[in-house]
Amino acid sequence: MYRILIVEDDEREAETLRHSLERYARENSLEFQVSWERSALGATSGDAKFDLIFMDIGLPGINGMEAATLIRTYDSETPIIFVTNLAQYAVRGYEVDALDFVVKPVSYFNFKMRMDKAMRIIRRNSGMNVVVTTHDGLRVIPAAELVAVEVSNHSLVYHLADGNTHVVRGSLSKTEEELAQAPFVRISNSCLLNMAYVRTVTGSEVRTTTGETYFFSRSRRRAAVDEIAKYLGGSIRWASKLSWAR
């Protein structure tokens, strides 16, 4: 699950980007959680983390270039793609290390070229690995493919996105420290969950995009739900391949 933010004050332009993302996700077997902000205020708050930002330049109030400058004061890695009909600003995009720009009206061909480039960067940025010792040797597990780590019978069970599991000896607290820079949250004393795979939260249950259900402990639920909401950027409505939050 990749988190994408669209900052665009024109609803029709935002819908064009959303439909392009939906098509790209379908064609490439990807899953996107997409948020939309009409102004730059939500984009510059720093409360939610995103893997990619599509930023209009001609925004009311703080314009897109000013917003990108603010974002770069605390986030030097998230790719930013400017979407604008103000082509003269394109060169200034290099001042804020923008990945690229696309001129309105956005065609899918141009969009796809930028997305291919962005996905290469996103995958590189999420390249953290976890090394575990199994009965047949060492295993290197990309953190991006790890859904959850659970304690079971004094062992750790690593649940992967492809449905496989690895059972190893180890400490959940130590694993949590190793994954401190990845989007994991402790939902109980016996479970560490990758927030990128959260689909729904209902009562004491959290269901993942891979179909599993995990459970909050009473003492950790409030803090964990707050952390998940902050990570996902607020309320989310889910679809089969793409979710759209406003």
Side-chain angles (χ1 to χ4, degrees), residues 86-127:
L86 303 173
Q88 65 269 28
Y89 284 101
V91 175
R92 288 192 57 199
Y94 294 105
E95 298 175 9
V96 293
D97 196 24
L99 177 65
D100 212 329
F101 79 98
V102 59
V103 176
K104 300 176 183 178
V106 179
S107 71
Y108 184 71
F109 175 77
N110 287 332
F111 172 87
K112 183 180 184 301
M113 290 177 60
R114 273 69 180 182
M115 277 301 298
D116 287 343
K117 183 178 179 181
M119 289 307 301
R120 289 194 293 270
I121 300 297
I122 292 169
R123 290 188 174 107
R124 185 188 69 191
N125 289 348
S126 60

Side-chain angles (χ1 to χ4, degrees), residues 29-234:
S29 299
L30 297 171
E31 199 161 359
F32 297 144
Q33 183 257 314
V34 181
S35 298
W36 172 36
E37 294 284 351
R38 289 182 180 270
S39 73
L41 294 177
T44 58
S45 67
D47 291 336
K49 304 299 181 183
F50 299 95
D51 297 298
L52 174 63
I53 299 173
F54 285 94
M55 179 77 73
D56 181 29
I57 290 181
L59 295 168
I62 300 175
N63 68 36
M65 192 63 65
E66 293 168 332
T69 301
L70 288 173
I71 289 171
R72 286 295 182 243
T73 63
Y74 60 85
D75 180 354
S76 62
E77 292 189 354
T78 301
I80 297 173
I81 297 176
F82 286 118
V83 184
T84 180
N85 51 16
L86 303 173
Q88 65 269 28
Y89 284 101
V91 175
R92 288 192 57 199
Y94 294 105
E95 298 175 9
V96 293
D97 196 24
L99 177 65
D100 212 329
F101 79 98
V102 59
V103 176
K104 300 176 183 178
V106 179
S107 71
Y108 184 71
F109 175 77
N110 287 332
F111 172 87
K112 183 180 184 301
M113 290 177 60
R114 273 69 180 182
M115 277 301 298
D116 287 343
K117 183 178 179 181
M119 289 307 301
R120 289 194 293 270
I121 300 297
I122 292 169
R123 290 188 174 107
R124 185 188 69 191
N125 289 348
S126 60
M128 181 182 297
N129 296 319
V130 179
V131 180
V132 300
T133 303
T134 66
H135 66 279
D136 57 353
L138 293 177
R139 295 273 183 175
V140 178
I141 302 174
E145 297 176 12
L146 182 59
V147 179
V149 185
E150 285 190 296
V151 176
S152 178
N153 295 325
H154 306 290
S155 295
L156 297 182
V157 182
Y158 286 74
H159 297 267
L160 305 187
D162 62 6
N164 289 323
T165 59
H166 293 296
V167 181
V168 303
R169 293 288 182 180
S171 161
L172 191 61
S173 295
K174 183 177 179 181
T175 302
E176 185 175 17
E177 291 177 3
E178 293 174 349
L179 293 169
Q181 301 304 312
F184 284 78
V185 63
R186 191 80 166 260
I187 65 170
S188 71
N189 290 338
S190 60
C191 185
L192 189 64
L193 184 68
N194 189 337
M195 294 183 286
Y197 286 95
V198 171
R199 181 181 292 278
T200 59
V201 173
T202 307
S204 63
E205 297 182 357
V206 53
R207 191 165 182 82
T208 66
T209 58
T210 53
E212 292 88 7
T213 299
Y214 299 92
F215 296 90
F216 296 102
S217 65
R218 182 176 298 179
S219 61
R220 291 185 180 269
R221 184 184 184 281
R222 176 173 292 182
V225 170
D226 287 347
E227 191 69 21
I228 291 169
K230 182 186 296 184
Y231 176 79
L232 294 178

